[in-house]
Amino acid sequence: MGTSAWRSLAAKLGVEQPLIQAPMGGGITTPELVAAVSNAGGLGSIGASYLAPEDILRQAQAVRALTQRPFAINLFSPVGPTKSVDPAPMLEILARYHAQLGLPAPQSPATALPDFLGQVEAVLASAPAVFSFTFGIPSASVLESFKSRGILVAGTATNVQEARQLEASGVDAIVAQGSEAGGHRGTFAGPFESGLVGTMALVPQVVDAVKLPVIASGGIMDGRGIAAARMLGASGVQLGTAFMTCREAGTAVAHKAVLRGARDDSMRITRAFTGRPGRMIANEFITALEGSEAVLPFPAQHYATIALRGAAARQGDTRFMALWAGQGAALSRDVSAADLVKALLSETDTVLRSAVE
Amino acid sequence: MGTSAWRSLAAKLGVEQPLIQAPMGGGITTPELVAAVSNAGGLGSIGASYLAPEDILRQAQAVRALTQRPFAINLFSPVGPTKSVDPAPMLEILARYHAQLGLPAPQSPATALPDFLGQVEAVLASAPAVFSFTFGIPSASVLESFKSRGILVAGTATNVQEARQLEASGVDAIVAQGSEAGGHRGTFAGPFESGLVGTMALVPQVVDAVKLPVIASGGIMDGRGIAAARMLGASGVQLGTAFMTCREAGTAVAHKAVLRGARDDSMRITRAFTGRPGRMIANEFITALEGSEAVLPFPAQHYATIALRGAAARQGDTRFMALWAGQGAALSRDVSAADLVKALLSETDTVLRSAVE
């Protein structure tokens, strides 16, 4: 709590305010978005988990061409090998939707993400100020390769147990991902249900459990949320959904519209689009696949649905899009990233002052 | 946000601070607990939902003998008639556990709560300062009977849609129950999944959607949580789990011990003990009944398991107790209710001041 922890994390990150634009995959975190957030005094993050090493290098260069300020690059911690499963039942289901959208029949999907160590080399070569990760904890040698070059390392925890494991691994900061958050659950030390702790309960317990700075995330959409996170003891905040509707974000137009009009009761945790539990707005595809045994493990399901999602996004057909969203989505705005950062900071200031009037 | 909304709700409730001890059933909200909270400047609440009219009258008299201050009485909004289902499969499962604890074989359970209108008469006769309810919205004539006698009426919402319905019904205040909360989910306008919105996302959206004062609940355990709720725009706060470990609470000794040692990842939403989704700490009984079709509808399952739970509590056997708990349970303390209220207020003050230092 208080302003000293806040300022201390800002100094560590080398930014004016420890206000982090969350890493998001699927082309949402464009270089323009990342750079605009950093230029506005926050910390932009490239969601690089699905990118090949050369694309990571290219995106980082594009960001650097737009800002001199610090930024972050985020990767998934390596996930174990996908069990070999028969994709036929899922491909049969997908074929029906492909036909509806005029797509050719779906093909057997890739079953592995780009090689993790290759991605790590590309991140190291890109020399961001911060390396953040989720889904687990990379090996000690990987973490050390960042730390030895002065790159600050932040891991994601969804409960106290994971925060303790991250602290023991030697990370510099912990992102506490509350259950409100949109996108994949970062949970790695148990079933995803064990990581569905609301931000209000999660942040103070993580703050008490570790000595590291804690970055609150999940449901934070405006100055009220940022001020609340500070009261809970967070040293910084990370916002994803709030940045998805920014002009610079690569979010599909139809997705942005759905976010701004979202109801707080319309999100679900689902494996339907990627094989790994994540929060998004329920639609026809999610409902159809609920409880289906045809859903492939991550990342095979991600690759299996990528053509469908892409075509649906181009056609503005929200029935088959992955409508990632946190529970505060309705509070999102149609603004530039610079204006959003400015508004968030100004609102926070107003809310904090009002508390002692 | 700010102090004016806070003071305004305090004035409406007739208390020093709009800090409400949540109503809880099963003998947890003893007259001693309720009165101690009210005497300390907050608002104690009798959880009267399972009580017969004469017991409501008796409990209210007992509270009044201990305090001159305002207090609340809470009821479940009437739930539709239980579909008639065969209790035999559940009784067969219970029989095994009864045998383990040395209990006679379980009997066919009651299928209805005490008559709601009889309970309402008893609450009216008890003349509390506040009538609060959950699980739905009582009829207009019931709400009017309270309002016409100057009793403030507060309803429970778990998403924006429910908050709007409550406002339209004419209530005076809305308790926004975040997903972190222990106990039954109050969700009434959809499946319980539609009401699992975290406090951080729920409170500001409800505040924006209605003109009424909003009382934040779910995951609030200390001054950090209270200060955070104020930042989110809440006019008051309601804490349940935090009061369950107070000396005056009727919580079983073994239950109190489990709460204080709880992990944030150990709670689940389950129908196992009552037939209605509620948050508690996972144990053998919950795991055994997960997904079981033998679980009876509410309140039949409540009555079916009551003997088992009671015997388990007396024997300190947490495998078969309903270990109601919010996700912040580990932050609970072994103190008197008066000391807890005092500590909560003092902590809140410290946290709020630190924000602008």
Coordinates of all heavy atoms in Angstrom, one line a residue, chain A residues 1-3 7 159-161 179-180 193-194 196-202 204-205 207-208 218-220 224-225 227-229 231-232 263-265 268 327-328 330-331 351-357, chain B residues 1-3 7 159-161 179-180 193-194 196-202 204-205 207-208 218-220 224-225 227-229 231-232 263-265 268 327-328 330-331 351-357:
Chain A
M1 N 0.8 -1.2 0.0 CA 0.0 0.0 0.0 C 0.9 1.2 0.0 O 2.1 1.2 0.1 CB -0.9 0.0 1.2 CG -0.1 0.1 2.6 SD -1.2 -0.2 4.0 CE -0.1 -1.0 5.1
G2 N 0.2 2.3 -0.1 CA 1.0 3.6 0.0 C 1.7 3.9 -1.2 O 1.7 3.1 -2.2
T3 N 2.4 5.0 -1.3 CA 3.0 5.5 -2.5 C 4.4 5.0 -2.7 O 4.9 5.0 -3.8 CB 2.9 7.0 -2.5 OG1 3.5 7.5 -1.3 CG2 1.5 7.5 -2.7
R7 N 6.1 3.8 -6.2 CA 7.3 4.5 -6.8 C 8.5 3.6 -6.9 O 9.3 3.7 -7.9 CB 7.7 5.7 -5.9 CG 6.7 6.9 -6.0 CD 7.2 8.1 -5.3 NE 6.1 9.1 -5.1 CZ 5.8 9.7 -4.0 NH1 6.5 9.4 -2.9 NH2 4.8 10.5 -3.9
N159 N -2.6 -17.9 -7.4 CA -2.9 -18.2 -6.0 C -1.6 -18.0 -5.1 O -0.5 -17.9 -5.7 CB -3.6 -19.5 -5.7 CG -2.8 -20.7 -6.2 OD1 -1.6 -20.7 -6.1 ND2 -3.5 -21.7 -6.8
V160 N -1.7 -18.1 -3.8 CA -0.6 -17.9 -2.9 C 0.5 -18.9 -3.2 O 1.7 -18.6 -3.2 CB -1.1 -17.9 -1.5 CG1 0.1 -18.0 -0.5 CG2 -1.9 -16.6 -1.2
Q161 N 0.1 -20.2 -3.3 CA 1.1 -21.2 -3.5 C 2.0 -20.9 -4.7 O 3.2 -21.1 -4.7 CB 0.3 -22.6 -3.8 CG 1.2 -23.8 -3.9 CD 0.5 -25.0 -4.4 OE1 -0.7 -24.9 -4.7 NE2 1.2 -26.1 -4.6
S179 N -9.3 -13.8 -10.7 CA -10.2 -14.6 -11.5 C -11.0 -13.7 -12.5 O -11.6 -14.2 -13.5 CB -11.2 -15.4 -10.6 OG -12.0 -14.5 -9.8
E180 N -11.1 -12.4 -12.2 CA -11.8 -11.5 -13.2 C -11.1 -11.4 -14.5 O -11.8 -10.9 -15.5 CB -11.9 -10.1 -12.5 CG -12.7 -10.0 -11.3 CD -11.9 -10.1 -10.0 OE1 -10.9 -10.8 -10.1 OE2 -12.3 -9.6 -9.0
E193 N -9.3 -24.6 -11.5 CA -10.2 -24.1 -10.4 C -9.5 -23.6 -9.2 O -10.0 -22.8 -8.5 CB -11.2 -25.3 -10.0 CG -12.2 -25.7 -11.0 CD -11.6 -26.8 -11.9 OE1 -10.4 -27.0 -11.9 OE2 -12.4 -27.4 -12.7
S194 N -8.3 -24.1 -8.9 CA -7.5 -23.7 -7.8 C -7.0 -22.3 -8.0 O -6.4 -21.7 -7.0 CB -6.4 -24.7 -7.5 OG -5.4 -24.7 -8.5
L196 N -8.8 -19.7 -9.4 CA -9.9 -18.8 -9.7 C -10.2 -17.9 -8.4 O -11.3 -17.9 -7.9 CB -11.2 -19.5 -10.1 CG -11.1 -20.0 -11.6 CD1 -12.4 -20.8 -11.9 CD2 -10.9 -18.8 -12.5
V197 N -9.1 -17.3 -7.9 CA -9.3 -16.4 -6.7 C -9.5 -15.0 -7.2 O -8.8 -14.5 -8.0 CB -8.0 -16.5 -5.9 CG1 -8.3 -15.8 -4.5 CG2 -7.7 -18.0 -5.6
G198 N -10.6 -14.4 -6.7 CA -10.9 -13.0 -7.1 C -9.8 -12.0 -6.6 O -9.1 -12.2 -5.6
T199 N -9.6 -11.0 -7.4 CA -8.5 -10.0 -7.1 C -8.5 -9.5 -5.7 O -7.5 -9.3 -5.0 CB -8.6 -8.9 -8.1 OG1 -8.5 -9.4 -9.5 CG2 -7.5 -7.8 -8.0
M200 N -9.7 -9.2 -5.2 CA -9.9 -8.6 -3.8 C -9.3 -9.5 -2.8 O -8.8 -9.1 -1.7 CB -11.4 -8.4 -3.6 CG -11.7 -7.7 -2.3 SD -11.2 -6.0 -2.2 CE -12.6 -5.1 -3.0
A201 N -9.5 -10.8 -3.0 CA -8.9 -11.8 -2.0 C -7.5 -12.2 -2.3 O -6.7 -12.4 -1.4 CB -9.8 -13.1 -2.0
L202 N -7.1 -12.2 -3.6 CA -5.8 -12.7 -4.0 C -4.7 -11.7 -3.7 O -3.7 -12.1 -3.1 CB -5.8 -13.0 -5.5 CG -4.5 -13.4 -6.1 CD1 -4.1 -14.8 -5.6 CD2 -4.6 -13.4 -7.7
P204 N -4.1 -9.1 -1.4 CA -3.6 -9.0 -0.1 C -2.9 -10.3 0.4 O -1.9 -10.2 1.1 CB -4.8 -8.6 0.8 CG -6.0 -8.9 0.0 CD -5.6 -8.8 -1.5
Q205 N -3.4 -11.4 0.0 CA -2.8 -12.7 0.5 C -1.5 -12.9 -0.1 O -0.5 -13.4 0.5 CB -3.8 -13.8 0.3 CG -5.0 -13.8 1.1 CD -5.9 -15.0 1.0 OE1 -5.7 -16.0 1.6 NE2 -6.9 -14.9 0.2
V207 N 0.5 -10.4 -1.3 CA 1.3 -9.4 -0.7 C 1.9 -9.9 0.7 O 3.1 -9.7 1.0 CB 0.6 -8.1 -0.5 CG1 1.3 -7.1 0.4 CG2 0.3 -7.5 -1.9
D208 N 1.0 -10.5 1.5 CA 1.5 -11.0 2.8 C 2.4 -12.2 2.7 O 3.3 -12.4 3.5 CB 0.3 -11.5 3.6 CG -0.6 -10.3 4.1 OD1 -0.1 -9.1 4.0 OD2 -1.7 -10.5 4.6
G218 N -6.7 -8.3 -13.1 CA -8.0 -8.9 -13.0 C -9.1 -8.0 -12.6 O -9.2 -7.6 -11.5
G219 N -9.9 -7.5 -13.6 CA -11.0 -6.6 -13.3 C -10.7 -5.2 -13.1 O -11.6 -4.4 -12.8
I220 N -9.4 -4.8 -13.4 CA -9.1 -3.4 -13.2 C -9.3 -2.7 -14.5 O -8.7 -3.0 -15.5 CB -7.6 -3.3 -12.7 CG1 -7.4 -4.1 -11.4 CG2 -7.2 -1.8 -12.5 CD1 -5.9 -4.1 -11.0
R224 N -10.8 3.8 -10.4 CA -11.3 3.2 -9.2 C -10.6 1.9 -9.0 O -10.2 1.5 -7.8 CB -12.8 2.9 -9.4 CG -13.6 4.2 -9.4 CD -15.1 3.9 -9.7 NE -15.3 3.4 -11.0 CZ -16.5 3.2 -11.6 NH1 -17.6 3.5 -10.9 NH2 -16.6 2.8 -12.8
G225 N -10.4 1.1 -10.0 CA -9.7 -0.2 -9.9 C -8.3 -0.1 -9.5 O -7.7 -0.8 -8.7
A227 N -6.9 2.5 -8.0 CA -6.8 3.0 -6.6 C -7.1 1.8 -5.6 O -6.4 1.7 -4.6 CB -7.8 4.1 -6.3
A228 N -8.1 1.0 -6.0 CA -8.4 -0.2 -5.1 C -7.2 -1.1 -5.0 O -6.9 -1.6 -3.9 CB -9.6 -0.9 -5.6
A229 N -6.6 -1.4 -6.1 CA -5.4 -2.3 -6.1 C -4.3 -1.7 -5.2 O -3.6 -2.5 -4.5 CB -4.9 -2.5 -7.6
M231 N -4.8 0.1 -2.6 CA -5.2 -0.1 -1.2 C -4.9 -1.5 -0.8 O -4.6 -1.8 0.4 CB -6.7 0.1 -1.1 CG -7.1 1.5 -1.4 SD -6.5 2.7 -0.2 CE -5.6 3.8 -1.2
L232 N -5.0 -2.5 -1.7 CA -4.8 -3.9 -1.4 C -3.3 -4.2 -1.2 O -3.0 -5.3 -0.8 CB -5.4 -4.8 -2.5 CG -6.9 -4.7 -2.6 CD1 -7.4 -5.6 -3.8 CD2 -7.7 -5.2 -1.3
R263 N -21.9 -7.5 -21.1 CA -22.5 -7.6 -19.8 C -21.5 -8.4 -18.8 O -20.8 -9.2 -19.3 CB -23.8 -8.4 -19.8 CG -24.9 -7.6 -20.4 CD -26.1 -8.5 -20.8 NE -26.4 -9.4 -19.7 CZ -27.7 -9.8 -19.4 NH1 -28.7 -9.3 -20.2 NH2 -27.9 -10.7 -18.5
D264 N -21.5 -8.0 -17.6 CA -20.6 -8.6 -16.6 C -20.9 -10.1 -16.4 O -20.1 -10.8 -15.9 CB -20.6 -7.9 -15.3 CG -22.0 -7.9 -14.6 OD1 -23.0 -8.0 -15.3 OD2 -22.0 -7.8 -13.4
D265 N -22.1 -10.5 -16.8 CA -22.5 -12.0 -16.6 C -22.3 -12.8 -17.8 O -22.8 -13.9 -17.9 CB -23.9 -12.1 -16.0 CG -24.9 -11.4 -16.9 OD1 -24.5 -10.8 -17.9 OD2 -26.1 -11.5 -16.6
R268 N -17.3 -16.5 -19.7 CA -17.1 -17.9 -19.2 C -15.7 -18.3 -19.3 O -15.0 -17.8 -20.1 CB -18.0 -18.9 -20.0 CG -19.5 -18.7 -19.9 CD -20.0 -19.1 -18.5 NE -21.4 -18.8 -18.4 CZ -22.0 -17.7 -18.1 NH1 -21.2 -16.6 -17.9 NH2 -23.3 -17.5 -18.0
Q327 N -14.0 -9.5 -16.7 CA -15.3 -9.3 -16.3 C -15.7 -7.8 -16.2 O -16.8 -7.4 -16.0 CB -15.5 -9.9 -14.9 CG -15.5 -11.5 -15.0 CD -15.8 -12.2 -13.7 OE1 -15.3 -11.8 -12.7 NE2 -16.6 -13.2 -13.8
G328 N -14.7 -6.9 -16.4 CA -15.0 -5.5 -16.4 C -15.1 -4.9 -17.8 O -15.2 -3.7 -17.9
A330 N -17.2 -4.1 -19.9 CA -18.2 -3.0 -20.3 C -17.6 -1.6 -19.9 O -18.1 -0.6 -20.4 CB -19.5 -3.2 -19.5
L331 N -16.6 -1.6 -19.1 CA -16.0 -0.3 -18.7 C -14.9 0.1 -19.7 O -14.2 1.1 -19.5 CB -15.4 -0.4 -17.3 CG -16.4 -0.7 -16.2 CD1 -15.7 -0.9 -14.8 CD2 -17.4 0.5 -16.0
V351 N -9.6 9.7 -7.4 CA -10.2 8.7 -6.4 C -9.4 8.6 -5.1 O -10.0 8.6 -4.0 CB -10.3 7.3 -7.1 CG1 -10.7 6.3 -6.1 CG2 -11.2 7.3 -8.3
L352 N -8.1 8.6 -5.2 CA -7.3 8.5 -4.0 C -7.5 9.8 -3.1 O -7.6 9.7 -1.9 CB -5.8 8.4 -4.4 CG -5.3 7.1 -5.0 CD1 -3.9 7.1 -5.5 CD2 -5.5 5.9 -4.0
R353 N -7.5 10.9 -3.8 CA -7.7 12.2 -3.0 C -9.1 12.2 -2.3 O -9.2 12.7 -1.2 CB -7.6 13.4 -3.9 CG -6.2 13.8 -4.2 CD -6.3 14.9 -5.3 NE -5.0 14.9 -6.0 CZ -3.9 15.6 -5.6 NH1 -4.0 16.3 -4.5 NH2 -2.8 15.6 -6.3
S354 N -10.1 11.7 -3.0 CA -11.4 11.7 -2.4 C -11.5 10.9 -1.1 O -12.4 11.1 -0.3 CB -12.4 11.2 -3.5 OG -12.4 9.8 -3.5
A355 N -10.6 9.9 -1.0 CA -10.7 9.0 0.2 C -10.4 9.7 1.5 O -10.9 9.3 2.5 CB -9.7 7.9 0.0
V356 N -9.7 10.8 1.4 CA -9.3 11.5 2.7 C -10.0 12.8 2.8 O -9.6 13.6 3.7 CB -7.8 11.5 2.8 CG1 -7.2 10.2 3.1 CG2 -7.2 12.1 1.6
E357 N -10.9 13.1 1.9 CA -11.5 14.4 2.0 C -12.6 14.5 3.1 O -13.2 13.4 3.4 CB -12.2 14.8 0.7 CG -11.3 15.5 -0.3 CD -11.8 15.4 -1.7 OE1 -13.0 15.0 -1.9 OE2 -11.0 15.8 -2.6
Chain B
M1 N -17.4 6.3 -4.2 CA -16.1 6.7 -3.7 C -16.2 7.8 -2.7 O -17.3 8.4 -2.6 CB -15.1 7.0 -4.8 CG -15.5 8.3 -5.6 SD -14.4 8.4 -7.1 CE -15.6 9.3 -8.2
G2 N -15.1 8.2 -2.1 CA -15.1 9.3 -1.2 C -15.8 9.1 0.1 O -16.4 8.0 0.3
T3 N -15.8 10.0 0.9 CA -16.3 9.8 2.2 C -17.8 10.2 2.3 O -18.5 9.7 3.3 CB -15.5 10.7 3.2 OG1 -15.5 12.0 2.7 CG2 -14.1 10.2 3.4
R7 N -20.6 8.2 4.6 CA -21.3 8.8 5.7 C -22.8 8.8 5.5 O -23.6 8.7 6.4 CB -20.8 10.3 5.9 CG -19.4 10.3 6.5 CD -19.1 11.8 6.9 NE -17.6 11.9 7.1 CZ -16.8 12.8 6.6 NH1 -17.3 13.7 5.8 NH2 -15.5 12.7 6.9
N159 N -24.7 -9.7 -10.1 CA -24.3 -9.1 -11.4 C -25.1 -7.8 -11.6 O -26.1 -7.5 -10.8 CB -24.4 -10.1 -12.5 CG -25.7 -10.7 -12.7 OD1 -26.7 -10.0 -12.6 ND2 -25.8 -12.0 -13.0
V160 N -24.8 -7.1 -12.7 CA -25.5 -5.8 -12.9 C -27.0 -6.0 -13.2 O -27.8 -5.2 -12.7 CB -24.8 -5.1 -14.1 CG1 -25.6 -4.0 -14.7 CG2 -23.4 -4.6 -13.7
Q161 N -27.3 -7.0 -13.9 CA -28.7 -7.3 -14.3 C -29.5 -7.4 -13.0 O -30.6 -6.8 -12.9 CB -28.8 -8.6 -15.1 CG -30.2 -8.9 -15.6 CD -30.3 -10.4 -16.1 OE1 -29.3 -11.1 -16.1 NE2 -31.4 -10.8 -16.5
S179 N -17.7 -12.8 -6.4 CA -17.5 -14.3 -6.4 C -16.6 -14.8 -5.3 O -16.6 -16.0 -5.0 CB -16.9 -14.7 -7.8 OG -15.6 -14.0 -8.0
E180 N -15.8 -13.9 -4.7 CA -14.9 -14.3 -3.6 C -15.7 -14.8 -2.3 O -15.1 -15.5 -1.5 CB -14.0 -13.2 -3.2 CG -13.0 -12.7 -4.2 CD -13.5 -11.6 -5.1 OE1 -14.7 -11.5 -5.2 OE2 -12.7 -10.9 -5.6
E193 N -23.4 -19.6 -12.6 CA -22.1 -19.1 -13.3 C -22.2 -17.7 -13.7 O -21.2 -17.0 -13.8 CB -21.9 -20.0 -14.5 CG -21.5 -21.4 -14.2 CD -22.7 -22.3 -14.1 OE1 -23.8 -21.8 -14.0 OE2 -22.5 -23.6 -14.1
S194 N -23.5 -17.2 -14.0 CA -23.6 -15.8 -14.4 C -23.4 -14.8 -13.3 O -23.4 -13.6 -13.5 CB -25.0 -15.6 -15.0 OG -26.0 -15.8 -14.0
L196 N -20.9 -15.2 -11.0 CA -19.5 -15.4 -10.4 C -18.6 -14.2 -10.8 O -17.6 -14.5 -11.4 CB -18.9 -16.7 -10.8 CG -19.5 -17.9 -10.0 CD1 -18.9 -19.2 -10.5 CD2 -19.3 -17.8 -8.5
V197 N -19.0 -13.0 -10.5 CA -18.2 -11.9 -10.9 C -17.4 -11.4 -9.7 O -17.9 -11.2 -8.7 CB -19.1 -10.7 -11.4 CG1 -18.3 -9.5 -12.0 CG2 -20.1 -11.2 -12.5
G198 N -16.1 -11.3 -10.0 CA -15.2 -10.8 -8.9 C -15.6 -9.4 -8.4 O -16.0 -8.6 -9.1
T199 N -15.3 -9.2 -7.1 CA -15.7 -7.9 -6.4 C -15.1 -6.7 -7.2 O -15.7 -5.7 -7.3 CB -15.2 -8.0 -5.0 OG1 -15.9 -9.1 -4.3 CG2 -15.6 -6.7 -4.2
M200 N -13.8 -6.9 -7.6 CA -13.1 -5.8 -8.3 C -13.8 -5.4 -9.6 O -13.8 -4.2 -9.9 CB -11.7 -6.3 -8.6 CG -10.8 -5.2 -9.2 SD -10.3 -3.9 -8.1 CE -8.9 -4.6 -7.3
A201 N -14.5 -6.3 -10.3 CA -15.2 -6.0 -11.5 C -16.6 -5.6 -11.2 O -17.3 -4.8 -11.9 CB -15.1 -7.1 -12.5
L202 N -17.2 -6.3 -10.2 CA -18.6 -6.2 -9.9 C -19.0 -4.8 -9.4 O -20.0 -4.2 -9.8 CB -19.1 -7.3 -9.0 CG -20.5 -7.3 -8.5 CD1 -21.5 -7.5 -9.7 CD2 -20.8 -8.3 -7.4
P204 N -17.7 -1.6 -9.2 CA -17.8 -0.4 -10.0 C -18.9 -0.4 -11.1 O -19.6 0.6 -11.4 CB -16.4 -0.2 -10.7 CG -15.7 -1.5 -10.5 CD -16.4 -2.2 -9.3
Q205 N -19.2 -1.6 -11.6 CA -20.2 -1.7 -12.7 C -21.6 -1.6 -12.1 O -22.5 -1.0 -12.7 CB -20.1 -3.1 -13.4 CG -18.8 -3.1 -14.3 CD -18.7 -4.4 -15.1 OE1 -19.3 -4.5 -16.2 NE2 -18.0 -5.4 -14.6
V207 N -22.2 0.1 -9.3 CA -22.2 1.5 -8.9 C -22.7 2.4 -10.0 O -23.5 3.3 -9.9 CB -20.9 2.0 -8.3 CG1 -20.8 3.5 -8.2 CG2 -20.6 1.3 -6.9
D208 N -22.1 2.1 -11.2 CA -22.5 2.9 -12.4 C -23.9 2.6 -12.9 O -24.5 3.4 -13.5 CB -21.5 2.5 -13.6 CG -20.1 3.1 -13.4 OD1 -19.9 3.9 -12.4 OD2 -19.2 2.7 -14.2
G218 N -17.5 -9.8 -0.5 CA -16.7 -10.8 -1.2 C -15.3 -10.5 -1.1 O -14.7 -9.7 -1.8
G219 N -14.6 -11.3 -0.3 CA -13.1 -11.2 -0.2 C -12.6 -10.1 0.7 O -11.4 -9.9 0.7
I220 N -13.5 -9.3 1.3 CA -13.0 -8.2 2.2 C -12.8 -8.8 3.6 O -13.7 -9.3 4.2 CB -14.1 -7.1 2.2 CG1 -14.4 -6.7 0.8 CG2 -13.6 -6.0 3.1 CD1 -15.6 -5.7 0.7
R224 N -7.4 -3.2 4.3 CA -7.0 -3.1 2.9 C -8.2 -3.3 2.0 O -8.5 -2.5 1.1 CB -5.9 -4.1 2.5 CG -4.6 -3.8 3.2 CD -3.6 -4.9 2.9 NE -3.9 -6.1 3.6 CZ -3.1 -7.2 3.6 NH1 -1.9 -7.2 3.0 NH2 -3.5 -8.3 4.2
G225 N -9.0 -4.3 2.3 CA -10.2 -4.6 1.6 C -11.3 -3.6 1.7 O -11.9 -3.2 0.7
A227 N -10.8 -0.4 2.4 CA -10.3 0.8 1.7 C -10.5 0.6 0.2 O -10.9 1.5 -0.5 CB -8.9 1.1 2.0
A228 N -10.2 -0.6 -0.3 CA -10.3 -0.9 -1.7 C -11.8 -0.8 -2.1 O -12.1 -0.2 -3.2 CB -9.8 -2.3 -2.0
A229 N -12.7 -1.3 -1.3 CA -14.1 -1.2 -1.7 C -14.6 0.2 -1.8 O -15.3 0.6 -2.6 CB -14.9 -2.0 -0.6
M231 N -12.7 2.7 -2.7 CA -12.1 3.2 -3.9 C -13.0 2.8 -5.1 O -13.1 3.6 -6.1 CB -10.7 2.7 -4.2 CG -9.7 3.1 -3.2 SD -9.4 4.8 -3.2 CE -9.8 5.3 -1.5
L232 N -13.6 1.6 -5.0 CA -14.4 1.1 -6.1 C -15.8 1.8 -6.2 O -16.5 1.6 -7.1 CB -14.6 -0.4 -6.0 CG -13.3 -1.2 -6.2 CD1 -13.6 -2.7 -5.9 CD2 -12.7 -1.0 -7.5
R263 N -6.1 -22.2 2.8 CA -5.4 -21.7 1.6 C -6.4 -21.1 0.7 O -7.5 -21.5 0.6 CB -4.7 -22.9 0.9 CG -3.5 -23.4 1.6 CD -3.0 -24.7 1.1 NE -3.0 -24.8 -0.3 CZ -2.1 -25.5 -1.0 NH1 -1.2 -26.2 -0.4 NH2 -2.1 -25.5 -2.3
D264 N -5.9 -20.1 0.0 CA -6.8 -19.4 -0.9 C -7.3 -20.2 -2.1 O -8.3 -19.9 -2.8 CB -6.2 -18.1 -1.5 CG -4.9 -18.4 -2.3 OD1 -4.2 -19.4 -2.1 OD2 -4.6 -17.6 -3.2
D265 N -6.6 -21.4 -2.3 CA -7.0 -22.2 -3.5 C -7.8 -23.4 -3.0 O -8.0 -24.4 -3.8 CB -5.7 -22.7 -4.2 CG -4.7 -23.4 -3.4 OD1 -4.9 -23.5 -2.1 OD2 -3.7 -23.9 -3.9
R268 N -14.3 -24.2 -3.0 CA -15.0 -24.6 -4.2 C -16.4 -24.1 -4.1 O -16.9 -24.0 -3.0 CB -15.0 -26.1 -4.4 CG -13.6 -26.7 -4.7 CD -13.1 -26.3 -6.1 NE -11.7 -26.9 -6.3 CZ -10.6 -26.3 -5.8 NH1 -10.6 -25.1 -5.2 NH2 -9.4 -26.8 -6.1
Q327 N -12.9 -16.6 -0.1 CA -11.5 -16.8 -0.5 C -10.4 -16.1 0.3 O -9.2 -16.4 0.1 CB -11.4 -16.5 -2.0 CG -12.2 -17.4 -2.9 CD -12.1 -17.1 -4.4 OE1 -12.0 -16.0 -4.8 NE2 -12.0 -18.1 -5.2
G328 N -10.8 -15.2 1.1 CA -9.8 -14.5 2.0 C -9.7 -15.1 3.4 O -9.1 -14.5 4.3
A330 N -8.0 -17.1 5.1 CA -6.7 -17.1 5.8 C -6.4 -15.8 6.5 O -5.6 -15.8 7.5 CB -5.6 -17.5 4.9
L331 N -7.1 -14.8 6.1 CA -6.9 -13.5 6.8 C -7.8 -13.3 8.0 O -7.8 -12.2 8.7 CB -7.1 -12.3 5.8 CG -6.1 -12.3 4.6 CD1 -6.6 -11.3 3.6 CD2 -4.7 -12.0 5.0
V351 N -4.7 2.8 5.9 CA -4.5 2.5 4.5 C -4.9 3.7 3.7 O -4.2 4.1 2.7 CB -5.3 1.2 4.1 CG1 -5.2 1.0 2.6 CG2 -4.8 0.0 4.8
L352 N -6.1 4.3 4.0 CA -6.5 5.4 3.2 C -5.6 6.6 3.3 O -5.3 7.2 2.3 CB -7.9 5.9 3.7 CG -9.1 4.9 3.4 CD1 -10.4 5.4 4.1 CD2 -9.3 4.8 1.9
R353 N -5.0 6.8 4.5 CA -4.1 7.9 4.6 C -2.8 7.7 3.9 O -2.2 8.6 3.3 CB -3.7 8.1 6.1 CG -4.7 8.9 6.9 CD -4.4 8.8 8.4 NE -5.5 9.0 9.2 CZ -6.0 10.2 9.6 NH1 -5.3 11.3 9.2 NH2 -7.0 10.3 10.3
S354 N -2.4 6.4 3.8 CA -1.1 6.1 3.2 C -1.2 6.4 1.7 O -0.1 6.6 1.0 CB -0.7 4.6 3.4 OG -1.5 3.8 2.6
A355 N -2.4 6.4 1.2 CA -2.5 6.6 -0.3 C -2.1 7.9 -0.8 O -1.8 8.1 -1.9 CB -4.0 6.3 -0.7
V356 N -2.2 8.9 0.1 CA -1.9 10.3 -0.4 C -0.7 10.8 0.3 O -0.4 12.0 0.2 CB -3.1 11.2 -0.1 CG1 -4.2 10.9 -1.1 CG2 -3.6 11.1 1.3
E357 N 0.1 10.0 0.9 CA 1.3 10.4 1.6 C 2.4 10.7 0.5 O 2.5 9.9 -0.5 CB 1.8 9.4 2.6 CG 1.3 9.7 4.0 CD 1.4 8.5 4.9 OE1 2.1 7.5 4.5 OE2 0.7 8.5 5.9

